Amino acid sequence: MEKYIHVSGRIQREFLMMEIENSFHGKDAFKKGIGLSKVKKVAEKYGCAMSIETQENRFVLHVLLILSQHPEDILRQMD
């Protein structure tokens, strides 16, 4: 099996939609790491969404982020 990773994203109005797809081997090889739980926690904290899809040897992470029209709000939220 060829290993790969594809990252794509697009902005649609005030949303950034990202998709990260990569190969993985076998059903038992996929385990949620601490990194994915952190992504989900941050997405939910800011009213965004994350989903995971697996099919055969393919793992896909979808992340939907709301883009702030006021960048200073983002910096304030990070404090």
Side-chain angles (χ1 to χ4, degrees):
M1 178 182 73
E2 180 182 342
K3 293 183 179 183
Y4 69 90
I5 184 165
H6 297 273
V7 178
S8 62
R10 72 177 194 267
I11 294 175
Q12 187 171 347
R13 297 192 321 215
E14 64 273 3
F15 299 101
L16 171 60
M17 295 176 274
M18 299 185 320
E19 180 178 281
I20 298 96
E21 176 183 336
N22 67 286
S23 58
F24 78 100
H25 182 66
K27 294 178 183 178
D28 295 330
F30 169 70
K31 294 181 182 176
K32 277 190 175 181
I34 191 165
L36 291 175
S37 64
K38 295 286 185 187
V39 171
K40 184 175 182 179
K41 186 175 180 177
V42 169
E44 290 174 348
K45 179 179 178 179
Y46 294 105
C48 303
M50 180 193 100
S51 68
I52 297 171
E53 173 187 340
T54 57
Q55 295 177 351
E56 298 179 16
N57 295 328
R58 186 175 84 108
F59 169 89
V60 183
L61 172 67
H62 299 273
V63 181
L64 177 66
L65 301 174
I66 300 169
L67 300 174
S68 174
Q69 300 213 2
H70 303 284
E72 64 275 7
D73 291 345
I74 295 171
L75 294 175
R76 202 176 3 236
Q77 290 174 353
M78 295 174 73
D79 290 336

